[in-house]
Amino acid sequence: MELDLDDWVTNSNECFHINLYRTSNQNGPERILDESFHPSFTHTVIEENETIAGYKNPSIELDFRANDLNPKLKISFDQELDLKKISPDLNQVDLSPELFREYLPESIDDAAGATSSDWSPPGERINTFGLYGKQYEIWKAPMTDPDARRIWTNMKILNLLFIDGATLEGLEDEETLDRWSLYLLYDVTPLSDASLSPYTLAGFSTSYRAWVFPTFDIARATKQLPSPAESSNGDAGKYTPPRLTQDPDTFLFTDKLDLLETPSRERISQFLVLPPYQGQSLGSRLYDAIFHELVNKPFIYEIPIEDPSEAFDAMRDYSDITYLRKLPAFKDLSIASNLSQESLRKDSPIPRDQILGNGKDLEELRKSTKIVSRQFYRMVELHLLSTIPPNNRNRARITRKAKSTNENDRKYYFWRLALKHRIYSQNADALDQMEDVAERVEKLESAVNSQQEEFEERLEGLEKRQSLAADETSAPAAGARSKRKRAVVVEDDEDDEWEDMDQVRKAAYGLERANKASIPTTYHNLVSYKKKHTDDKAREEYDGDLAKIILHGQHPRPDLIVCAGWMHIVTTSFLSPIAEAGIKIINLHPALPGEFAGAKAIERAWTAGKEDGLKRTGVMIHEVIAEVDAGDAIVTQEVELKEGETLDGLEERIHAVEHGLIVEGTRKVLGGLGNKS
């Protein structure tokens, strides 16, 4: 009988069962959830494709003790098939406890005793509240606390199972442990057996304190320097900054400087509410407790979020707008209803701050809230949209734009103008690649509409949350999620320039054009490598994987690799395997051979023309070698440096040459390859 391998393949998420247990003195460990829950992701822990092959009816049961997450692991299956005997190319996971050794404590005590009623979490309790008939507590502990560290070690696998792209790096470094804090959300509803601890973990988060260079603005915002007189931070004459004292003989400072209380950003990360507790606003309660605990520390400049998911973004929006609306300065913000004719001229920059601030200093207000820039200004836009009557939030009403006689129509027009300015600024590179101006305008309008639609959803959800907050007697359905579809708005990710660049490149118009022309594409993300490794190591790993994608990926192997505007210096990890495969690599560079290698070549040539009398520059297509822009030239073309020409003018002429030369160079190389064959 022919073997059907499909019978031996199982989705690793579906056969993975997670539960919580509590140990009593009489009955031993007992599960406390009626139904186990499944992980969202197992590609990091088990297998990249989230499958288990070679086993029939595999089952992974991972139970955690309710209070300290002490784990119990049980693995079973009905039959095992040795796939290597069928084909050496088949990959088979070793379904044994060793598979999880890296992610679980070194020793697992399956016979752990009962937890007495006097047990309490490590650290300090920072919040208590009741919700839908249950009692909850939130605790904070430094990662240097051995008990907190033990709980984290017990449950760290949950980060990988429920947070896509999560890593455990940093938390394994003993030298930086003092910068990490652990927040624990517990269900403490009393049990029928009063001798047992009622603490049941419902969620957790970590935060990491990163030092930030104390510019004058940051030093003033974090109370390290006096503020200018009559500023929002107070009168300089009434503020005395701390002074360090010195030993008169040795001149050494006698004061101890606490590095953890120097200007910092405190990044919230690894945020998770366990599935049985989701959909009950517990995430908001945990986030609010963390935020309010941090915002009151004067030395913390900003509170960013690490790689927030779409669901987290929605939850944070509700929490942040609620917090901000309690601040009189924010609540009183209004949209300008009239702007000067000068500011409305087509060649004038959009007066975004004037529209949204309407006379208020938004940046000073932002600094006082400690919310990162992108999120704060989104909340300003969200709040100000709510001040416009719903009937006026319609593009059909703003045909007369700033000349409309209806004040709310003018406000809506100005609001869209400010929103359009932000979205364009964040996606300028991607939008500017669109040669068709009409298509560019359409894309921008679509993005603005999408953002407004998201804001409308947030306002609607906020009303529902406020009504639920007034009546917390019945819990909403767990795991409830909005099913409404919307277009994606490409935006920068806060506090991470590499993430910004990655989002822009991912939206590159070249990918869209290739798709329309049925040309296969692959998007290879550098950001994840930057997060895991140092810069040099990240580039090497990235380049090595890129070579594998090209040589062994799903698309046919190419005859030629053309680098056009890539701005990435390739390493031998990429060059060597590509060369061994006999594939040529060529690059477009806006300079002549031996001149202006590297970045900003056009600007440097323009400066040389002004200051040194250089008469010409040019463009070349050259072979790629390890040395930057130093490979043999394939085709070149000179470009005259004109006296009095602006840099923009030179760039425009050089780009026009590039568009033709890249085609000529590619054709020449491919022709040579054809002749050799």
Side-chain angles (χ1 to χ4, degrees), residues 424-434 501 504-505 507-509:
Y424 181 84
S425 298
Q426 293 172 347
N427 301 279
D429 287 351
L431 290 167
D432 287 347
Q433 290 183 49
M434 299 181 184
M501 184 61 72
V504 170
R505 287 174 174 170
Y509 185 51

Side-chain angles (χ1 to χ4, degrees), residues 613-634:
L614 186 68
K615 299 299 182 184
R616 56 95 188 101
T617 182
V619 178
M620 69 170 171
I621 309 300
H622 66 91
E623 295 183 2
V624 175
I625 61 175
E627 187 177 351
V628 176
D629 299 325
D632 291 341
I634 298 164

Side-chain angles (χ1 to χ4, degrees), residues 121-233:
E124 61 175 334
R125 184 172 56 198
I126 62 173
N127 195 15
T128 62
F129 61 93
L131 189 65
Y132 305 125
K134 291 189 173 184
Q135 298 299 313
Y136 295 91
E137 294 178 357
I138 298 175
W139 290 69
K140 176 188 178 182
M143 276 294 191
T144 50
D145 184 317
D147 291 333
R149 185 74 175 157
R150 190 174 302 110
I151 291 177
W152 168 255
T153 302
N154 288 343
M155 69 181 183
K156 64 183 181 181
I157 191 174
L158 292 174
N159 289 280
L160 305 176
L161 296 177
F162 289 99
I163 302 175
D164 194 17
T167 67
L168 303 178
E169 291 193 9
L171 283 158
E172 308 296 332
D173 187 351
E174 296 290 338
E175 293 184 359
T176 60
L177 273 186
D178 59 344
R179 293 184 172 274
W180 287 93
S181 296
L182 178 64
Y183 295 86
L184 301 168
L185 167 65
Y186 279 103
D187 177 354
V188 293
T189 307
L191 304 175
S192 57
D193 186 346
S195 67
L196 299 179
S197 169
Y199 283 92
T200 302
L201 191 83
F204 62 87
S205 179
T206 62
S207 70
Y208 177 76
R209 188 165 299 168
W211 180 78
V212 58
F213 185 81
T215 63
F216 282 112
D217 282 346
I218 290 176
R220 288 192 176 107
T222 54
K223 311 298 184 185
Q224 306 295 308
L225 285 176
S227 299
E230 299 180 358
S231 77
S232 60
N233 285 335

Side-chain angles (χ1 to χ4, degrees), residues 226-424:
S227 299
E230 299 180 358
S231 77
S232 60
N233 285 335
D235 192 326
K238 298 178 181 178
Y239 178 79
T240 303
R243 302 288 183 183
L244 297 177
T245 57
Q246 293 175 287
D247 185 293
D249 297 322
T250 64
F251 298 103
L252 296 175
F253 289 115
T254 57
D255 303 88
K256 286 187 177 180
L257 179 64
D258 188 346
L259 295 178
L260 293 179
E261 294 191 1
T262 55
S264 307
R265 286 187 175 95
E266 185 103 1
R267 184 190 295 269
I268 298 174
S269 59
Q270 285 125 352
F271 188 103
L272 177 66
V273 173
L274 298 184
Y277 288 95
Q278 291 177 6
Q280 302 173 48
S281 298
L282 288 171
S284 295
R285 296 297 187 113
L286 178 57
Y287 172 78
D288 290 345
I290 297 172
F291 184 87
H292 288 292
E293 200 271 336
L294 297 175
V295 78
N296 292 319
K297 297 186 183 299
F299 51 83
I300 291 180
Y301 176 64
E302 282 182 338
I303 308 172
I305 310 297
E306 182 177 16
D307 295 335
S309 66
E310 187 173 337
F312 185 95
D313 269 338
M315 180 272 294
R316 178 175 54 156
D317 284 351
Y318 293 129
S319 290
D320 285 351
I321 194 64
T322 301
Y323 159 69
L324 289 169
R325 282 178 168 177
K326 294 177 181 178
L327 305 177
F330 184 91
K331 187 177 181 181
D332 293 342
L333 290 176
S334 61
I335 306 172
S337 59
N338 291 291
L339 296 175
S340 67
Q341 289 299 315
E342 181 68 22
S343 64
L344 290 173
R345 287 174 47 186
K346 288 187 176 181
D347 58 350
S348 296
I350 293 176
R352 175 178 164 82
D353 290 343
Q354 186 179 347
I355 292 171
L356 300 180
N358 199 11
K360 301 287 182 65
D361 190 336
L362 290 178
E363 187 58 19
E364 283 302 312
L365 177 57
R366 184 196 73 78
K367 291 175 185 176
S368 70
T369 67
K370 304 189 179 182
I371 296 176
V372 292
S373 181
R374 170 186 175 272
Q375 175 67 0
F376 176 79
Y377 286 104
R378 285 183 68 254
M379 293 301 95
V380 170
E381 293 163 354
L382 173 63
H383 172 65
L384 292 179
L385 178 64
S386 73
T387 66
I388 302 172
N391 289 339
N392 296 91
R393 304 175 199 163
N394 190 322
R395 284 182 64 193
R397 295 183 59 96
I398 56 174
T399 53
R400 301 192 68 233
K401 302 181 179 179
K403 297 179 180 179
S404 174
T405 57
N406 186 297
E407 181 183 20
N408 286 317
D409 286 346
R410 293 197 305 274
K411 286 185 175 182
Y412 177 62
Y413 168 69
F414 292 145
W415 179 87
R416 281 185 66 91
L417 202 61
L419 177 59
K420 195 177 299 183
H421 178 270
R422 172 174 70 83
I423 292 176
Y424 181 84

